[in-house]
Amino acid sequence: GRCTTGPQEADAPIYWCRCLYYSFMAFATMDYDALKPCATAGYLLTVTEPFAGIFLMGLYVTANARKLEGR
């Protein structure tokens, strides 16, 4: 995958769009092979974001199931 190192003046909007795409793909625990982080902080976020996605989806499903049960 391509390593994105940081925004340059000319392509800052493209860089932030790539960051948002990468973050969504990690959060949704999908394949994010097109981009990869370059820094240690990026790798740490890549490890924690899928867990957050799974946890929040579980909370969402549980809340809606309880709502449908009438609790």
Side-chain angles (χ1 to χ4, degrees), residues 1 26 33 36 68:
D33 217 16
K36 68 176 186 170
L68 289 173

Side-chain angles (χ1 to χ4, degrees), residues 32-62:
Y32 40 83
D33 217 16
L35 299 172
K36 68 176 186 170
C38 294
T40 304
Y43 282 109
L44 292 174
L45 283 174
T46 300
V47 170
T48 58
E49 221 168 343
F51 290 112
I54 292 168
F55 177 73
L56 291 175
M57 185 57 73
L59 285 178
Y60 176 76
V61 169
T62 301

Side-chain angles (χ1 to χ4, degrees), residues 16-30:
W16 292 111
C17 286
R18 286 183 185 155
C19 289
L20 185 62
Y21 167 78
Y22 183 80
S23 179
F24 173 77
M25 295 304 271
F27 187 80
T29 64
M30 299 174 140

